[in-house]
């Protein structure tokens, strides 16, 4: 017994020295690691900002990188002071899997949000049609997309729905084509009708004349000859021009004596 005590006393300085060095190394790893993690995450975010990546994504990626590096640093520190880390890693992995399964829908929205922000099929300020809703995109967060319809209703869509739907973005292109379908009577003079409609379009200063104007017979319908009328405008002028042309063409055709037929049924009674 005395020999064992003497051995412990003899080895005590070495044990203290070894433990002390391990603690010092652990503290150094912790301090230097946290400093490096902060610098690296900031560098990643700055690099993404210089590439004009969305600020939300840049900040998020920087935070994720910092969190992952801190996790590795903590594991390294625990290993340095003699704590078994294999079981800790296994527990963390199992916990991550359980959380992932529990938050499957949320993670799907999150992943979709990241893709929407990176590839930007729509962005804040765009007028778009998404999942059957048309309106201005107000905000795209990591989990949902917020839109405001023309009658000022707020529509909030989960990002997984947005990413899996057909997206029609009306704001990407600076010009839009105005398509009208005008029906005239079979008795009408088509050349006069076409000249009248063309005159309405050419007189509108909002029409982009250099992109061309089309006024042509599209179909011979049951009760009318249908003319397709196409012209190009700035995207912001689409609806004002659309409404104006519909009314002005009606007025000018009436003035030119061109009838616009409407569905009617003739009933003949035999005595």
């Amino acid at each position: 017994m005395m020999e064992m005590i003497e051995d412990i006393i003899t080895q005590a300085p070495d044990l203290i020295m070894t433990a002390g060095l391990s603690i010092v190394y652990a503290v150094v790893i912790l301090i230097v690691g946290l400093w490096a993690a902060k610098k690296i995450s900031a560098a990643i975010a700055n690099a993404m900002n210089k590439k004009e990546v969305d600020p939300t994504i840049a900040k998020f990626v920087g935070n994720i990188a910092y969190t992952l590096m801190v996790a590795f640093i903590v594991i390294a520190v625990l290993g340095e002071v003699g704590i078994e880390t294999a079981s800790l890693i296994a527990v963390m992995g199992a916990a991550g899997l359980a959380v992932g399964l529990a938050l499957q829908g949320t993670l799907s929205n999150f992943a979709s949000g990241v893709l929407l922000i990176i590839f930007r099929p729509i962005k804040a300020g765009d007028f778009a049609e998404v999942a059957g809703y048309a309106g201005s995109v107000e905000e795209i967060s990591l989990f949902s997309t917020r839109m405001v319809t023309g009658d000022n209703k707020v529509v909030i869509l989960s990002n997984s729905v947005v990413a899996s739907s057909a997206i029609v973005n009306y704001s990407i292109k600076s010009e839009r084509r105005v398509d009208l379908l005008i029906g005239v009577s079979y008795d009408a003079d088509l050349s006069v009708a076409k000249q009248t409609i063309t005159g309405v379009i050419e007189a509108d200063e909002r029409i982009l004349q250099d992109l061309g104007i089309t006024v042509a017979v599209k179909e011979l319908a049951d009760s009318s000859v249908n003319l397709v009328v196409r012209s190009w405008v700035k995207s912001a002028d689409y609806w004002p021009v659309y409404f104006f042309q519909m009314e002005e063409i009606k007025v000018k055709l009436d003035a030119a004596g061109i009838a616009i037929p409407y569905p009617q049924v003739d009933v003949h009674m035999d005595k």
Side-chain angles (χ1 to χ4, degrees):
M1 184 67 179
M2 292 299 297
E3 293 180 359
M4 183 180 298
I5 295 175
E6 290 177 358
D7 290 339
I8 294 175
I9 294 174
T10 303
Q11 297 175 9
D14 294 334
L15 293 174
I16 294 173
M17 180 65 68
T18 302
L21 289 176
S22 297
I23 294 174
V24 171
Y25 291 152
V27 172
V28 171
I29 291 173
L30 181 63
I31 295 174
V32 174
L34 291 177
W35 176 84
K38 186 176 182 179
K39 292 293 184 180
I40 293 172
S41 62
I44 292 173
N46 291 334
M48 296 182 72
N49 288 327
K50 289 181 179 179
K51 294 293 183 179
E52 297 184 352
V53 177
D54 190 280
T56 304
I57 286 294
K59 183 177 180 180
F60 173 76
V61 172
N63 290 338
I64 288 293
Y66 179 78
T67 301
L68 291 176
M69 286 185 286
V70 168
F72 284 117
I73 292 168
V74 171
I75 292 174
V77 169
L78 294 177
E80 183 63 33
V81 296
I83 298 176
E84 182 62 40
T85 58
S87 58
L88 178 61
I89 294 174
V91 170
M92 292 175 60
L97 178 60
V99 172
L101 292 175
L103 300 177
Q104 186 174 5
T106 302
L107 292 176
S108 176
N109 288 329
F110 171 78
S112 298
V114 171
L115 294 176
L116 288 173
I117 295 173
I118 291 176
F119 295 106
R120 307 182 76 180
I122 53 175
K123 63 181 183 298
D126 286 350
F127 186 85
E129 186 175 340
V130 182
Y133 297 95
S136 298
V137 179
E138 191 173 70
E139 180 186 13
I140 301 176
S141 66
L142 289 175
F143 296 97
S144 64
T145 296
R146 181 186 178 98
M147 300 178 63
V148 179
T149 63
D151 54 352
N152 212 31
K153 295 178 181 177
V154 176
V155 179
I156 300 176
L157 301 170
S158 61
N159 284 336
S160 60
V161 172
V162 176
S164 61
S165 301
I167 298 174
V168 182
N169 192 329
Y170 296 100
S171 300
I172 292 180
K173 298 296 185 180
S174 59
E175 300 91 13
R176 285 186 66 184
R177 192 178 71 186
V178 180
D179 289 356
L180 304 178
L181 188 65
I182 307 297
V184 300
S185 170
Y186 271 94
D187 296 329
D189 188 328
L190 286 180
S191 62
V192 175
K194 292 170 68 175
Q195 289 174 5
T196 302
I197 295 172
T198 301
V200 171
I201 299 174
E202 290 179 342
D204 193 338
E205 296 180 352
R206 295 168 295 183
I207 302 299
L208 304 177
Q209 306 287 344
D210 56 324
L211 295 181
I213 297 172
T214 300
V215 180
V217 176
K218 183 178 186 293
E219 61 181 348
L220 303 177
D222 293 338
S223 59
S224 64
V225 178
N226 292 334
L227 302 176
V228 63
V229 181
R230 294 173 177 170
S231 58
W232 290 87
V233 298
K234 294 292 184 182
S235 295
D237 293 332
Y238 178 85
W239 285 113
V241 170
Y242 181 95
F243 295 137
F244 171 81
Q245 287 188 4
M246 290 294 288
E247 180 177 348
E248 190 68 8
I249 288 174
K250 172 65 168 63
V251 171
K252 295 298 185 182
L253 288 179
D254 287 346
I258 303 297
I260 299 177
Y262 51 87
Q264 55 185 319
V265 178
D266 293 332
V267 179
H268 300 274
M269 298 183 65
D270 297 330
K271 294 183 178 180

